């Protein structure tokens, strides 16, 4: 079974630009969560999607948004990039997500650098 | 406010030198505590889930334990391949969000 796939692996953008990251979950998994990882803050929850609906959202500004498609693939968008958005963005999938106590399967992440 | 604190931030061991990593938490309605391992350039990889105080789980040289306020990850006779960052996370009760600690970076020297 293929794991969680994130593309691209690396991105370099400049301030003010926008970026879209992609995540393909494990086949059969309907929940996709996104996390931001930085050396100072660690892993922080961005949002979770289940069956094309955002089910939960972390404490991030509205510049961070996402969506999920009918095949459970998900995209995350960051508009008007700031230097502080430089981070590793991780996607994780599970079968049900939410309050179901499942382990998450993570992708290898997209390393975003904002110059 | 829900919090997860891991200590130490970094730990250097000689091969075969056993030690423990700590994860203390304050969360309303704990639904589970998770341990993950993260290698450089990769996403976290699941190790254990613990649900209630007194529970223990083992996998090879790793053993995780849980009390009402903290969890320990014991590493017995570590090998260089155990070098990684170990992350602790708790699932809180209202939305089911996973709250991660900042991790312990373990280095095992031969």
């Amino acid at each position: 079974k293929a794991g969680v796939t994130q593309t691209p692996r690396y991105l370099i953008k400049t301030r003010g630009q926008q970026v879209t990251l992609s995540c393909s979950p494990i086949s059969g998994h309907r929940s996709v969560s996104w996390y931001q990882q930085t050396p100072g803050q660690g892993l922080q929850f961005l949002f979770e999607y289940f069956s094309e609906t955002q089910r939960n959202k972390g404490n991030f500004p509205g510049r961070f948004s996402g969506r999920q498609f009918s095949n459970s693939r998900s995209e995350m968008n960051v508009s008007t990039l700031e230097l502080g958005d430089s981070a590793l963005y991780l996607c994780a999938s599970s079968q049900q997500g939410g309050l179901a106590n499942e382990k998450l399967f993570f992708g290898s992440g997209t390393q975003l650098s904002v110059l | 406010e829900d919090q997860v604190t891991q200590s130490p931030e970094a730990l250097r061991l000689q091969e075969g030198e056993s030690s423990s990593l700590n994860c203390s938490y304050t969360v309303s309605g704990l639904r589970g505590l998770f341990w993950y391992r993260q290698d450089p350039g990769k996403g976290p990889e699941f190790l254990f889930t613990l649900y209630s105080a007194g529970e223990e789980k083992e996998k090879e040289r790793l053993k995780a334990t849980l009390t009402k306020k903290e969890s320990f990850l014991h590493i017995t006779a570590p090998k260089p391949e155990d070098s990684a960052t170990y992350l602790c996370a708790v699932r809180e009760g209202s939305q089911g969000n996973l709250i991660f600690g900042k991790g312990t970076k373990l280095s095992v020297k031969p």
Side-chain angles (χ1 to χ4, degrees):
Chain A
K1 218 174 193 183
V4 178
T5 304
Q6 290 188 247
T7 56
R9 187 73 180 89
Y10 301 95
L11 265 178
I12 299 175
K13 293 286 186 179
T14 56
R15 278 183 299 173
Q17 288 187 309
Q18 74 166 22
V19 67
T20 299
L21 314 181
S22 179
C23 172
S24 294
I26 291 173
S27 177
H29 286 191
R30 296 168 65 190
S31 170
V32 174
S33 300
W34 288 89
Y35 290 82
Q36 181 195 67
Q37 186 174 32
T38 59
Q41 298 299 319
L43 269 138
Q44 293 186 288
F45 173 74
L46 281 157
F47 29 65
E48 181 202 357
Y49 284 86
F50 181 83
S51 292
E52 302 179 66
T53 301
Q54 187 181 89
R55 185 156 63 180
N56 205 353
K57 191 176 189 305
N59 190 24
F60 278 83
R63 300 185 297 107
F64 292 82
S65 63
R67 59 178 176 168
Q68 187 180 34
F69 303 95
S70 58
N71 61 358
S72 292
R73 190 177 71 84
S74 178
E75 287 182 348
M76 189 192 102
N77 186 76
V78 187
S79 62
T80 318
L81 284 166
E82 300 177 0
L83 295 178
D85 296 333
S86 295
L88 180 66
Y89 290 88
L90 291 161
C91 163
S93 77
S94 64
Q95 289 185 325
Q96 299 177 52
L99 292 173
N101 230 350
E102 306 168 302
K103 61 185 179 185
L104 297 183
F105 294 83
F106 284 86
S108 293
T110 294
Q111 183 67 54
L112 172 65
S113 298
V114 183
L115 306 179
Chain B
E1 183 184 337
D2 298 336
Q3 282 190 324
V4 179
T5 304
Q6 291 188 246
S7 61
E9 289 185 15
L11 182 62
R12 288 188 172 189
L13 299 173
Q14 287 295 125
E15 185 172 1
E17 180 186 2
S18 301
S19 187
S20 295
L21 282 54
N22 177 263
C23 170
S24 62
Y25 61 90
T26 53
V27 63
S28 53
L30 177 71
R31 294 181 61 84
L33 185 140
F34 299 76
W35 282 98
Y36 285 85
R37 168 190 170 131
Q38 186 173 23
D39 293 298
K42 294 188 176 181
E45 180 183 349
F46 172 80
L47 291 172
F48 304 107
T49 308
L50 301 167
Y51 296 101
S52 56
E55 190 174 359
E56 298 182 352
K57 288 195 176 172
E58 286 188 69
K59 179 181 178 181
E60 295 180 0
R61 295 176 293 282
L62 300 176
K63 179 180 176 180
T65 61
L66 182 64
T67 71
K68 287 187 176 179
K69 293 184 177 180
E70 57 191 349
S71 177
F72 293 92
L73 184 65
H74 307 279
I75 303 176
T76 301
K79 298 182 178 181
E81 54 262 42
D82 294 323
S83 297
T85 296
Y86 290 85
L87 298 165
C88 168
V90 297
R91 192 180 297 281
E92 53 84 21
S94 62
Q95 302 278 0
N97 293 342
L98 265 187
I99 303 168
F100 280 86
K102 295 184 180 180
T104 293
K105 185 176 182 179
L106 174 66
S107 299
V108 182
K109 301 300 180 186

